[in-house]
Amino acid sequence: MSERGWNVYLSGEIHSDWRARIETGVREAGLAVCFSAPVTDHAASDDAGTGTLGEEEVAFWRDHMGAGVNAIRTQTLIRAADLVVVRFGDKYRQWNAAFDAGYAAALGKPIVTLHDSDLDHALKEVDRAAQATARTAEQVVDVLRYVLSGKLA
């Protein structure tokens, strides 16, 4: 089977190196993958609205503006993705990651969730919509290796 290039969107928590570990593993495996992601600079993401559309005094509207500007990027990249990986960390509630998973599911995009087993119950609906649930970034690389080349690790 000849490999075609895949677009993989990496959604979710921004406080660990999981994205870098997946990208390194994919590169080492020689897989034809292009990655995209939301803006992972927390301050830049929070200020996306006021940084582009101007200042806003009311916190609700400031957040609303930022969410809208960020959604342009997120929705466009998820629509362009062949597969979406959604990472849920243990420190913060990632409502945006859950929303990304739901958006990807509504578009019929294959989803791989990535989280520790202690979140299984809280994420049961999200995991049910996913085609695979991984515990480590390395397992995500193994899934990508298999679906892109038909080879096991």
Side-chain angles (χ1 to χ4, degrees):
M1 172 178 165
S2 70
E3 283 189 40
R4 69 172 183 89
W6 279 49
N7 293 314
V8 175
Y9 185 77
L10 301 175
S11 172
E13 72 93 5
I14 63 171
H15 303 286
S16 69
D17 68 345
W18 70 275
R19 284 183 181 85
R21 290 172 37 216
I22 290 171
E23 291 173 5
T24 298
V26 162
R27 187 174 50 255
E28 289 173 354
L31 301 174
V33 175
C34 290
F35 292 102
S36 60
V39 172
T40 58
D41 177 321
H42 196 101
S45 177
D46 282 351
D47 293 340
T50 57
T52 58
L53 301 172
E55 290 304 314
E56 171 56 55
E57 304 260 338
V58 180
F60 174 83
W61 292 114
R62 187 172 46 249
D63 287 346
H64 184 77
M65 289 166 52
V69 171
N70 281 317
I72 295 168
R73 177 188 180 95
T74 301
Q75 291 176 11
T76 301
L77 293 174
I78 290 174
R79 279 194 303 273
D82 296 301
L83 182 135
V84 177
V85 178
V86 185
R87 164 75 176 147
F88 293 92
D90 60 350
K91 275 189 153 181
Y92 305 97
R93 290 178 172 88
Q94 288 102 41
W95 307 120
N96 57 326
F99 187 87
D100 288 355
Y103 186 70
L107 293 173
K109 301 291 181 175
I111 302 166
V112 175
T113 55
L114 172 58
H115 61 80
D116 295 334
S117 61
D118 60 337
L119 296 176
D120 284 350
H121 180 71
L123 294 171
K124 63 186 175 293
E125 288 84 5
V126 176
D127 286 341
R128 181 63 182 101
Q131 284 68 39
T133 297
R135 302 300 185 196
T136 67
E138 293 71 25
Q139 287 178 330
V140 173
V141 173
D142 289 343
V143 169
L144 290 170
R145 179 184 298 108
Y146 180 78
V147 299
L148 272 68
S149 70
K151 296 177 184 170
L152 297 172

